[in-house]
Amino acid sequence: MEIFIDSADRDEVRRAAALGWVDGVTTNPTLLARAGVSMREAIAEIAALVPGPVSAEVLADDTEGMVAEGKKLAAIAPNVVVKIPLTEAGLAAVRALATAKIATNVTLCFSTVQALLAAKAGATYVSPFVGRLDDAGHDGMALVEEIVAVFRTYDRTTRVLAASIRHPAHVRRAALCGAHAVTAPLAVLERLCHHPMTDVGLARFAADAAAAGLTTDG
Ligand code: E4P
């Protein structure tokens, strides 16, 4: 499963890249607005920090505008994936970009049928928004599970990217159901590695080694 950081903050992306297991980055207009730098500058810098895909979202709402913006975003770096909203105009743009061999991430997906349409349009990734569904009283991960199952049934190659992730249990359920990728804020990524029993076990090993005077040289 690919693991991405959901951030447009270059320092956060640098810290995530240093973890050694973060594959790529997703951004969105809100995150880029918060970062306070030009979109092109931020995406170019971020794309140089990670080996994998960096999603950058179009701002236009018509097909022609999205395709034009998508081509410009894709030209910033070879690992840029063009993020397109899941609208009628967006799906037509996905088809045009797929024909031009430009990778896409269809965002703001809230239903299984929407995801199926994104796959049929030729999307590289589709992003169901788990946390926002949970916030509205639904079971966001159930949507991810359903999309993974439907894509298996119809042998779709579009990758399911669980987005709007709020905590490690979301990541666990994404992995269990076979989601291809997750994207989460740095604070969630940093919590993934930790377990209190690891800390307790490590403290005991350190105490036993110190008591016996163990060194790796002798
Ligand atoms: C994904 O690509 C989105 O940027 C993101 O996951 C949205 O998350 P939020 O609901 O926490 O804003």
Side-chain angles (χ1 to χ4, degrees):
M1 183 171 74
E2 292 175 298
I3 299 181
F4 303 148
I5 177 171
D6 195 29
S7 175
D9 179 313
R10 286 157 298 171
D11 290 333
E12 285 190 354
V13 174
R14 235 175 252 115
R15 280 162 59 195
L19 293 171
W21 43 263
V22 171
D23 303 291
V25 182
T26 53
T27 68
N28 64 40
T30 304
L31 294 170
L32 280 157
R34 213 178 283 155
V37 279
S38 89
M39 205 166 151
R40 290 188 69 79
E41 191 189 333
I43 298 297
E45 278 192 42
I46 287 170
L49 295 172
V50 289
V54 174
S55 291
E57 189 159 342
V58 297
L59 301 174
D61 60 6
D62 62 304
T63 302
E64 205 182 319
M66 286 191 240
V67 172
E69 287 183 7
K71 286 184 174 169
K72 282 188 198 157
L73 289 170
I76 294 176
N79 54 340
V80 168
V81 171
V82 179
K83 217 168 168 190
I84 303 276
L86 212 160
T87 59
E88 201 175 302
L91 293 184
V94 168
R95 169 54 63 205
L97 291 167
T99 304
K101 305 246 177 297
I102 291 174
T104 53
N105 170 3
V106 177
T107 188
L108 291 167
C109 172
F110 293 97
S111 85
T112 304
V113 173
Q114 280 185 317
L116 187 58
L117 300 186
K120 287 183 66 73
T124 314
Y125 291 92
V126 64
S127 292
F129 273 36
V130 175
R132 293 194 195 184
L133 277 168
D134 286 359
D135 293 346
H138 301 278
D139 180 358
M141 279 314 303
L143 173 63
V144 175
E145 288 160 6
E146 215 173 281
I147 296 170
V148 169
V150 168
F151 281 12
R152 274 198 195 124
T153 300
Y154 293 109
D155 211 13
R156 305 309 310 196
T157 54
T158 299
R159 300 173 72 71
V160 181
L161 198 180
S164 185
I165 292 291
R166 304 271 196 259
H167 47 70
H170 277 153
V171 178
R172 174 177 175 271
R173 272 184 76 185
L176 273 173
C177 78
H180 304 88
V182 287
T183 187
L186 182 62
V188 174
L189 295 181
E190 286 176 334
R191 278 158 60 202
L192 293 180
C193 179
H194 296 288
H195 195 288
M197 291 186 72
T198 304
D199 300 337
V200 170
L202 186 60
R204 188 178 304 162
F205 287 155
D208 290 346
L214 291 183
T215 74
T216 53
D217 295 327

